[in-house]
Each structure stands twice: as C-alpha cells, then as structure tokens.
Amino acid sequence: VTTTVTLGTRPLTFKSTTLVVDTVPDAFSFASRSGVALNTVIESAIVTIKGINMPATISIAGGEYRLNGGAYTKATGTIKNGDSLQVRHTSATTGKKTITTSVSVDKTTVTFASTTL
C-alpha cells in the first residue's frame, strides 16, 4: 500500500507491505522405532520446527508432546518457529505390535511409531 500526503507543495510517500501469515511448517518427521521393550515409555528424536512466521496450533493423538524440553502434555497448544518438539507414547503390552502417535502442527500431521519385540 502506498499513501501520499502533501505537506505544503511537497508530496510525502509512505509504503507498507503486509506479512503473509504462514503457520504451515517445513517438512519434518520422526523415525520409527522397532524392537522396543513391552509396556515402556518410548520417546521420539527431537525435531526443530521451521518455516512458520506466526505461532501455530499443535495437538496430539495417542501420546504426549513437549516443547523445548519442558513438561509433556496432551493439551492442544501453540508452537513457534525454532521450537524443539519431541513426542512419546507407551509401547504395546504384546510382542510385534505397533503403537502410533500423531502430532499435528497447523494442518500438517506427522506420526511416530514404535513396534515391540
């Protein structure tokens, strides 16, 4: 947007550009884990969220998440660019069974899976 104001005979111009809101993160993933012990808390690797310029909604199904090494939670929250993200769940109580946790940042959903021995 360009705005011009005339002061006396002199025009003064002011220009502004709005920021495009981007809450869709760059691609990220969690490696699956196999051969894990039965009925054990299994944590994912830590990933850093990049590519967003405004806080985004984060939610989880089938486990818990934490940001920046804080406490784990199941509650819907917000995540910012540069935040570290880790998820966890409890492995299956029987052998050769896979447990999956899904974490969503804005409209991007990523899964973390673990399979017991």
Side-chain angles (χ1 to χ4, degrees), residues 87-107:
V87 300
R88 73 178 182 183
H89 58 232
T90 301
S91 63
T93 57
T94 58
K96 302 201 185 297
K97 183 169 182 188
T98 301
I99 299 293
T100 302
T101 296
S102 297
V103 63
S104 297
V105 175
D106 191 51
K107 294 175 180 71

Side-chain angles (χ1 to χ4, degrees), residues 4 12 17-18 28 41 53 56 63 66 68 71 76 85 91 97 101-102 104 109 111:
T4 302
L12 302 171
T17 304
T18 57
F28 68 97
V41 174
N53 62 14
R66 70 176 172 176
N68 304 315
T76 298
L85 170 63
S91 63
K97 183 169 182 188
T101 296
S102 297
S104 297
T109 301
T111 59

Side-chain angles (χ1 to χ4, degrees), residues 15-97:
K15 293 182 182 184
S16 64
T17 304
T18 57
L19 177 69
V20 175
V21 174
D22 183 3
T23 56
V24 178
D26 292 348
F28 68 97
S29 63
F30 297 105
S32 297
R33 306 237 347 242
S34 60
V36 302
L38 302 176
N39 198 33
T40 303
V41 174
I42 306 298
E43 293 181 321
S44 72
I46 297 169
V47 298
T48 300
I49 298 301
K50 297 180 182 178
I52 61 177
N53 62 14
M54 296 292 289
T57 300
I58 182 170
S59 61
I60 194 155
E64 299 175 302
Y65 73 91
R66 70 176 172 176
L67 301 177
N68 304 315
Y72 278 98
T73 184
K74 294 179 183 181
T76 298
T78 57
I79 189 167
K80 299 180 305 295
N81 196 63
D83 281 350
S84 64
L85 170 63
Q86 187 174 31
V87 300
R88 73 178 182 183
H89 58 232
T90 301
S91 63
T93 57
T94 58
K96 302 201 185 297
K97 183 169 182 188

